[in-house]
Amino acid sequence: MAQTNTPGNEGAWAALSGEPPAALFPTLSPQGLALWRRMCQHPQAPLFRNQSGPRLSAAAQQACRWRQVLWRHAPLPPPGLPGRRPWWLHAWLARRWGHIPAWAGLAPRPLPWPQMPTHQRADLSADLARHVWATHPRAAQEPLICFSTSGATGHPLKVPSLPSVAADYRAFHQRALAHFGIHLRAGAGQVGVVLAGFQQRCFTYASVNPLQGDCGVVKLNLAPHEWRQPEDRAAYLDALAPELISGDPVSLAELAQLPLQHRPRALLSTSMALSQGLRQHLEARLACPVLDLYSMNEAGPMAVWHPAEQAWQPLQPGLFIEIVDERGQALPEGELGEITLTGGFNPLLPLLRYRTGDHARWVRRPSGWMLADLHGRSPVRFVTTQGQWLNNIELTHLLQRHPCAVGRCIRPAAVPCTCGWTRCPAAPRCKGLSRACGIC
């Protein structure tokens, strides 16, 4: 990859001197514009490879505010134990059944719950359109956006969504923060959140949040080659002084290595399992709480780790969580099974008994029903033959471009193979992958 601090990349930084597109920022205030310019044109700013904005009209913003009050304060559904259902489930199914082709293909009307089949990511990946409510009223009022997921299970997916859905993440983050006594204060002229990645290349941008007075939102890549100088990373973050910093355990571990002087009010860890050791290290290094969020692109933030209860507190009033066995039957309290979801806050992709591939058990704690012993995706880093570290997401992307290599043994090239697998017949076509990692 070309280094962004070389003369060949000067044009990339020059592009940041432009103005934000009106289509992305339909209600941008003068204070928001000034902040956007400061974030993009700061002398130590990183390379922003993309553009993103709230794309919310004034009417859509007002609808978000009303909806987010509900998401923050409504009671949670009961745990998905045998025989227990949320009060809203029957009406929710009836409203959507005829609009989702995959559901309508099961029967003319909703099946009795004990007969309702489960679904999994492979079903969505194979034929996503059959699981989407394409004619939802909000789809006619807002532009469609799509989130690409790397596919830790081997099934990459594009998740259809809306700007208002992206905005609603804030409500669930607020609900999680409230468990730690933290209430958001960032407003006009301030940066509300920095979303930190640490990859060879990822989606990066500067934006504002009109639901918080056009406060700043920055998605950046902590990889040194995305900056003019590596030391600019800490200087830029200190200049922004964000209220929150969010990332996965890999990027947050890199953040902790920087000589950062700013102290955010909280860190949000998402996407992968956060070890207790790393959480304690981050809390000591940055002197703030670290919230471990159980989240995925298909469903958003679902639960937050509660240290005092040693369990996960669910976050979504409209998400019914079951723990099921291999046959899809709900398990009783205390039994370990697969986390399965119904509901959600994305109107285009409602979930019906959606198997996550993660496992946990329902337990009762003083604060109510929680999830314990949650087994999610652990962060893994790989080292190349050149000694460079790779995020496991990057290896997933690499393997997707070389399908013949999927299922083979990945190892440093200098390490002998002892796995006993036969070589892939198409190995000569995988030289790029072999140079990066070494493949049997």
Side-chain angles (χ1 to χ4, degrees):
M1 178 180 293
Q3 296 296 304
T4 55
N5 53 1
T6 61
N9 289 284
E10 290 173 356
W13 267 284
L16 299 178
S17 61
E19 294 297 284
L24 296 181
F25 301 86
T27 63
L28 187 64
S29 67
Q31 298 96 324
L33 176 58
L35 177 61
W36 185 88
R37 288 171 174 162
R38 178 165 70 88
M39 294 186 297
C40 289
Q41 299 168 17
H42 189 280
Q44 291 161 311
L47 172 63
F48 292 112
R49 294 186 175 275
N50 310 94
Q51 291 181 323
S52 182
R55 294 195 286 186
L56 292 171
S57 65
Q61 291 174 33
Q62 187 58 36
C64 280
R65 291 187 178 95
W66 283 106
R67 192 169 51 250
Q68 290 183 18
V69 170
L70 172 67
W71 294 145
R72 291 200 309 270
H73 301 294
L76 296 169
L81 301 175
R84 301 191 67 172
R85 316 273 189 272
W87 63 268
W88 46 260
L89 181 60
H90 180 76
W92 185 88
L93 286 170
R95 176 75 177 90
R96 289 155 180 78
W97 194 265
H99 298 283
I100 313 295
W103 303 5
L106 296 173
R109 59 184 59 85
L111 296 168
W113 195 252
Q115 301 175 24
M116 199 74 73
T118 60
H119 300 84
Q120 55 190 347
R121 188 186 182 105
D123 300 322
L124 271 62
S125 182
D127 195 351
L128 178 63
R130 286 181 51 79
H131 298 267
V132 173
W133 186 353
T135 58
H136 191 280
R138 279 166 61 187
Q141 301 165 2
E142 303 178 43
L144 176 69
I145 56 179
C146 227
F147 294 105
S148 296
T149 72
S150 57
T153 61
H155 299 284
L157 186 67
K158 291 187 180 296
V159 177
S161 188
L162 300 168
S164 59
V165 174
D168 283 349
Y169 271 67
R170 170 176 173 262
F172 304 112
H173 291 162
Q174 286 179 296
R175 188 160 186 151
L177 289 162
H179 287 290
F180 293 77
I182 299 172
H183 302 280
L184 299 181
R185 297 194 296 248
Q190 300 172 304
V191 176
V193 61
V194 164
L195 311 171
F198 185 59
Q199 300 176 40
Q200 288 296 304
R201 186 161 181 165
C202 61
F203 194 89
T204 55
Y205 60 87
S207 184
V208 299
N209 183 355
L211 301 179
Q212 280 184 258
D214 278 348
C215 73
V217 177
V218 174
K219 174 73 167 67
L220 52 78
N221 188 353
L222 291 177
H225 57 253
E226 295 290 277
W227 303 74
R228 293 179 176 89
Q229 302 294 334
E231 54 268 26
D232 287 347
R233 296 177 294 172
Y236 183 69
L237 288 169
D238 282 335
L240 294 189
E243 184 172 26
L244 304 173
I245 299 179
S246 177
D248 60 38
V250 175
S251 63
L252 294 179
E254 179 68 14
L255 178 75
Q257 303 301 315
L258 304 181
L260 196 66
Q261 300 301 310
H262 171 65
R263 296 294 180 262
R265 297 185 64 210
L267 299 182
L268 306 180
S269 177
T270 67
S271 302
M272 307 176 195
L274 177 69
S275 70
Q276 180 179 353
L278 179 55
R279 179 172 60 82
Q280 293 173 342
H281 174 64
L282 291 169
E283 288 177 338
R285 170 66 184 85
L286 294 168
C288 69
V290 178
L291 278 66
D292 189 5
L293 292 170
Y294 175 46
S295 180
M296 61 177 58
N297 278 333
E298 300 97 308
M302 294 173 284
V304 62
W305 173 250
H306 200 301
E309 306 276 18
Q310 288 294 291
W312 296 81
Q313 172 67 62
L315 294 173
Q316 293 190 30
L319 187 66
F320 179 47
I321 303 176
E322 296 177 279
I323 304 298
V324 305
D325 61 17
E326 293 180 355
R327 299 172 300 150
Q329 300 300 307
L331 293 172
E333 174 186 354
E335 291 197 24
L336 186 69
E338 187 170 1
I339 299 172
T340 302
L341 311 173
T342 296
F345 64 100
N346 181 349
L348 301 189
L349 190 66
L351 302 173
L352 177 60
R353 307 205 73 208
Y354 180 71
R355 291 178 176 268
T356 64
D358 302 322
H359 294 75
R361 66 181 89 240
W362 277 114
V363 295
R364 276 183 279 199
R365 294 288 192 261
S367 298
W369 286 97
M370 295 186 175
L371 297 169
D373 300 323
L374 194 157
H375 301 284
R377 181 175 64 171
S378 298
V380 180
R381 290 200 303 167
F382 297 86
V383 66
T384 71
T385 54
Q386 292 79 34
Q388 297 175 325
W389 286 102
L390 291 177
N391 190 314
N392 59 297
I393 295 174
E394 293 166 319
L395 190 59
T396 299
H397 292 164
L398 197 62
L399 289 170
Q400 287 169 359
R401 296 199 298 272
H402 298 275
C404 59
V406 175
R408 303 270 70 87
C409 171
I410 307 301
R411 57 180 172 77
V415 177
C417 171
T418 59
C419 70
W421 287 338
T422 58
R423 287 183 180 272
C424 171
R429 298 198 295 272
C430 294
K431 292 180 180 178
L433 183 58
S434 299
R435 283 197 298 270
C437 305
I439 299 179
C440 296

